Amino acid sequence: MERTAGRELALVPRPAACDAFLHYRTSKVRALRAARLERLVRELVSGDRAQDPGFVPAFLATHRAFVPTARVLALLLPPPPPPLPPGWGILPRVEIKKTEGRDLSFNQNLRAVVSVLGSWLRDHPQDFRDPPAHSDLSSVRTFLGWAAPLGAEAREAEKLLGQLLEEAEHAQEEEAQPQARAGPPGAAQTPCAGCPEGCSQEEEGLVQEGPELLDFGVDEVAEQLTLLDVELFSRVRPCECLGSVWSQRDRPGAAGVAPTVRATVTQFNTVTGCVLGSVLGPPGLAAPQRAQRLEKWIRIAQRCRELRNFSSLRAILSALQSNPIYRLKRSWGAVSREPLSTFRKLSQIFSDENNHLSCREILSQEEATEGPQEEDTPLGSLPSKLPPGPVPYLGTFLTDLIMLDTALPDMLEGDLINFEKRRKEWEILARIQQLQRRCRSYCLSPHPPVLAALRAQRQLSEEQSYHVSRVIEPPAASCPSSPRVRRRISLTKRLSAKLSREKGSSPGGSPGDPSSPTSSLSPGSPPSSPRSKDPPPGSPPASPGPQVPSTKLPLSPDLPGPRPLALSLSGPCIPLLGQQGSEARVIRVSIDNDHGNLYRSILLTSQDKAPSVVQRALQKHNVAQPWAHDYQLFQVLPGDRELLIPDNANVFYAMSPAAPGDFMLRRKGGARHTNSVSPT
């Protein structure tokens, strides 16, 4: 290759005698799949970075799922070297050479430890947050003080300590100030869920100061929503997205778990609530006026798609597809044909078919899109050709990580940590980090009037929105003009397809590679769905009742388990068994105790007997394993009924396939007086 005028020109290969015969050597790459904690920590220092370059970032990103930071530091940080003995300069030459050899080996280990700490401080600074003393960070500072006092790592540790102390002072100042607002944005404007007259009276008494959100232009609203989503997504700490971490959010006393992920969920539900509040609006609006609001939100969604903001796009579509808005047949009948066609096309992006394959392919294409940023682009606006981003819908990644956490065990035989599971999780976390870096290139300026209108927009609860919808249009047949929305696909089907794909693929795959099975989790040949016989989403329903879309739609990321933060209109989070031929499904198991309705998801296969299911469920709940024989397994059925699973039964075949996959463990002899049925 020769370089000429900044270009690389490939020369025509010249025949040479030295190129007549070539010999290549094929090397196998050794990757640590499972080991004890001490061996994993030793691999951080003594491992071959060239052979296994992904070990250190995977360990640092996922270690909190199986070991606290303090334990890793206790094994990683060596003690300071002993002082030199007196008279060291007059030692024999042989002794001096031995001492120098030991010092050389010690210094090599020190440099490796310092390098690991530098990556740790730079990529995962929140691991060292331990107020008020920040003892873990103090240990790191002490080590760097004598190991590398003048290095960049020591300066990074001091800088991080200053940031943590500044944040603590800022938090104390905010707590000292009186609360200006007593509730979330729009809470004071929430109408009551009582009679229609009461709602109308309250709405008449509430006059919003300033313009409403829909009074602004489509571009303004879409860009401000994108600005908020970019800021929140950029702050997401990938370690909080791990299934083992995010699933702890509902445990009593875990209100502070995964705050950055909770913030994205809150913003998602805020956007959805704004759509509900603005479209439903006062009950006195005429159908054409309400149709204009629907059309404007469709145009805002389309603009979000152009800005590659898939988070707000999903939130707007979820609200428009929810039952309180979907059932407004006269309003949808007044929507023009072009916006309605746009809405159907946008809805196909988030189709549940093939594990959201359409959304994943579009996101991968957007990631692969590259384009130089124009230097003369004015600040505060986006380039006309290729906007930065994309901003993903975080719920897709959360679902993938929960599926991995459910399907793969944490420990293997011999008390070995299953690090191969952590590598697969790291592939997804690395893709999140890659998207966060892409989002930094957005150049959007805040527009305070739009943000103020967004905060002031009235928020409706599930009951309130449905009540207002019934006031606007009393119950009647569904509207033929309402756009058809595909139903949700079973999580069981997605998990089964993922596992089948895992069996036929290699465990490798570069982080962020869309073709990697664990990064995309898209099945190669999914089982046929009963919905394949349905007409395409662009066609109107043939009959009113059965083809109305699901009356309950999730307004938060697709996650198994309860969603207390989400303005969720969804029913049971674990879907029904997709097909009789499936060999595995995900079930949720809780323990009948006084610690709240806390579920844990486990993978149930067609080979699992009741004792093994009870044992794995207790392990998920951190209950001592010897007590497994003291518990009985019940399936929770509709109508406050329970199905007792016998101790020697195959749970997969003994359970009721027509009921949600919710189970409960109860101590033998301590059963409550509930309606129980026996398997027949």
Side-chain angles (χ1 to χ4, degrees):
M1 303 291 288
E2 293 184 359
R3 189 175 298 274
T4 304
R7 291 186 176 181
E8 292 184 356
L9 301 179
L11 300 180
V12 178
R14 301 175 180 177
C18 60
D19 295 335
F21 299 96
L22 297 176
H23 295 271
Y24 291 95
R25 178 173 57 88
T26 302
S27 302
K28 292 184 178 180
V29 178
R30 298 182 59 185
L32 196 61
R33 299 175 59 91
R36 296 181 183 271
L37 177 61
E38 294 78 8
R39 180 64 181 86
L40 293 177
V41 175
R42 190 164 68 250
E43 187 73 11
L44 291 174
V45 179
S46 60
D48 189 350
R49 300 286 182 91
Q51 283 288 321
D52 192 3
F55 177 81
V56 174
F59 182 92
L60 296 180
T62 62
H63 77 279
R64 296 207 308 178
F66 55 90
V67 62
T69 300
R71 176 60 176 162
V72 177
L73 292 176
L75 296 173
L76 179 64
L77 301 182
L84 295 176
W88 179 82
I90 59 175
L91 289 176
R93 183 172 301 179
V94 176
E95 295 295 333
I96 293 178
K97 288 184 178 181
K98 292 181 179 179
T99 305
E100 290 178 351
R102 290 194 299 268
D103 292 343
L104 179 61
S105 176
F106 184 74
N107 291 334
Q108 290 177 348
N109 289 335
L110 281 186
R111 286 194 294 269
V113 173
V114 171
S115 176
V116 171
L117 291 177
S119 301
W120 202 344
L121 292 168
R122 180 178 59 256
D123 299 335
H124 309 281
Q126 297 301 324
D127 290 349
F128 301 95
R129 179 191 296 273
D130 185 20
H134 304 290
S135 57
D136 295 337
L137 185 57
S138 299
S139 302
V140 173
R141 292 175 59 244
T142 302
F143 168 77
L144 295 176
W146 62 265
L150 303 178
E153 295 80 7
R155 295 192 297 270
E156 188 72 25
E158 296 295 336
K159 178 182 176 181
L160 178 58
L161 179 61
Q163 293 176 352
L164 295 179
L165 295 178
E166 183 179 355
E167 291 178 3
E169 294 178 359
H170 184 66
Q172 291 178 357
E173 293 177 359
E174 289 185 349
E175 292 179 358
Q177 294 177 356
Q179 296 292 334
R181 293 193 300 257
Q189 302 179 6
T190 301
C192 65
C195 60
E197 293 78 7
C199 288
S200 301
Q201 292 175 1
E202 188 171 352
E203 288 168 359
E204 292 176 358
L206 292 174
V207 180
Q208 180 176 342
E209 298 180 359
E212 294 184 1
L213 185 60
L214 291 185
D215 292 338
F216 296 94
V218 171
D219 291 346
E220 292 178 306
V221 176
E223 290 182 3
Q224 295 307 299
L225 292 178
T226 302
L227 175 65
L228 295 175
D229 290 332
V230 167
E231 292 179 353
L232 292 174
F233 178 67
S234 300
R235 296 174 187 170
V236 168
R237 293 191 284 269
C239 63
E240 295 181 2
C241 300
L242 291 171
S244 58
V245 177
W246 178 239
S247 61
Q248 304 295 319
R249 67 194 183 280
D250 302 322
R251 176 171 294 182
V257 172
T260 61
V261 179
R262 290 175 185 265
T264 61
V265 175
T266 301
Q267 171 63 15
F268 185 95
N269 295 311
T270 298
V271 175
T272 304
C274 287
V275 178
L276 285 169
S278 61
V279 171
L280 295 178
L285 282 179
Q289 295 175 312
R290 210 174 303 278
Q292 292 178 358
R293 300 193 174 199
L294 289 172
E295 292 179 1
K296 188 158 189 178
W297 275 115
I298 292 173
R299 292 196 298 270
I300 293 174
Q302 174 63 25
R303 182 55 181 156
C304 288
R305 173 64 184 91
E306 296 172 358
L307 295 174
R308 306 204 283 185
N309 179 7
F310 291 91
S311 181
S312 287
L313 173 61
R314 177 67 182 269
I316 296 173
L317 295 178
S318 298
L320 295 178
Q321 295 168 356
S322 63
N323 190 67
I325 293 180
Y326 180 88
R327 61 176 301 276
L328 301 178
K329 61 178 183 178
R330 290 192 293 270
S331 299
W332 282 108
V335 175
S336 304
R337 179 176 299 179
E338 182 178 354
L340 200 60
S341 176
T342 300
F343 176 64
R344 286 168 175 155
K345 292 178 181 179
L346 293 176
S347 299
Q348 291 176 359
I349 296 178
F350 299 100
S351 172
D352 290 337
E353 293 294 338
N354 298 349
N355 190 17
H356 300 277
L357 182 60
S358 176
C359 178
R360 296 175 187 276
E361 290 180 344
I362 292 176
L363 184 60
S364 299
Q365 293 173 2
E366 297 290 344
E367 287 184 77
T369 302
E370 297 289 347
Q373 299 294 329
E374 299 178 3
E375 296 181 357
D376 56 348
T377 300
L379 186 62
S381 62
L382 291 176
S384 58
K385 292 183 179 180
L386 292 172
V391 184
Y393 170 59
L394 190 61
T396 303
F397 297 105
L398 296 176
T399 303
D400 292 348
L401 289 168
I402 285 184
M403 289 169 61
L404 279 177
D405 183 63
T406 303
L408 302 178
D410 294 332
M411 305 294 295
L412 300 180
E413 186 177 358
D415 292 335
L416 301 180
I417 297 174
N418 185 8
F419 196 74
E420 189 65 23
K421 173 181 179 179
R422 307 306 167 188
R423 291 182 188 273
K424 296 180 184 299
E425 292 176 333
W426 161 240
E427 291 178 3
I428 301 177
L429 298 183
R431 191 179 181 192
I432 295 177
Q433 291 182 346
Q434 181 182 2
L435 289 170
Q436 287 177 323
R437 290 190 293 267
R438 293 286 297 270
C439 286
R440 296 173 186 171
S441 56
Y442 273 101
C443 296
L444 294 171
S445 300
H447 192 188
V450 179
L451 297 177
L454 179 65
R455 289 191 296 267
Q457 179 63 49
R458 181 186 57 184
Q459 300 285 319
L460 298 177
S461 67
E462 176 183 357
E463 295 181 357
Q464 292 167 349
S465 59
Y466 190 71
H467 172 77
V468 173
S469 176
R470 293 170 64 92
V471 171
I472 296 172
E473 294 188 18
S478 63
C479 175
S481 302
S482 299
R484 178 172 177 79
V485 182
R486 292 184 178 272
R487 297 179 181 271
R488 305 181 63 188
I489 195 169
S490 169
L491 178 64
T492 303
K493 206 173 295 183
R494 297 202 299 259
L495 181 58
S496 302
K498 174 200 172 299
L499 294 178
S500 62
R501 186 181 179 93
E502 287 287 340
K503 293 179 181 178
S505 60
S506 60
S510 58
D513 184 8
S515 63
S516 175
T518 53
S519 62
S520 63
L521 296 181
S522 56
S525 56
S528 59
S529 171
R531 296 178 299 165
S532 60
K533 300 180 181 180
D534 293 343
S539 60
S543 59
Q547 295 191 359
V548 176
S550 176
T551 58
K552 298 179 180 180
L553 188 83
L555 304 186
S556 63
D558 280 341
L559 295 176
R563 308 183 187 96
L565 288 181
L567 180 59
S568 176
L569 305 183
S570 62
C573 302
I574 297 300
L576 302 180
L577 188 62
Q579 292 182 340
Q580 295 296 333
S582 301
E583 297 182 356
R585 67 173 298 178
V586 177
I587 63 173
R588 301 189 309 169
V589 185
S590 64
I591 298 181
D592 188 11
N593 51 26
D594 298 330
H595 301 299
N597 190 18
L598 182 63
Y599 284 92
R600 286 291 173 264
S601 299
I602 63 174
L603 179 65
L604 177 67
T605 67
S606 59
Q607 306 297 325
D608 289 335
K609 297 294 186 67
S612 64
V613 174
V614 171
Q615 186 174 4
R616 282 189 289 137
L618 291 177
Q619 183 180 3
K620 283 281 188 177
H621 283 274
N622 298 322
V623 178
Q625 302 300 310
W627 294 352
H629 62 276
D630 295 336
Y631 285 87
Q632 282 183 317
L633 185 64
F634 292 84
Q635 183 183 10
V636 180
L637 302 178
D640 196 22
R641 297 185 304 153
E642 294 177 350
L643 173 65
L644 173 62
I645 305 297
D647 293 339
N648 59 346
N650 185 310
V651 181
F652 187 85
Y653 297 105
M655 63 183 294
S656 173
D662 292 339
F663 288 79
M664 178 179 295
L665 291 177
R666 183 176 297 128
R667 281 184 174 274
K668 296 178 180 179
R672 299 178 303 177
H673 295 287
T674 56
N675 298 329
S676 300
V677 296
S678 305
T680 56

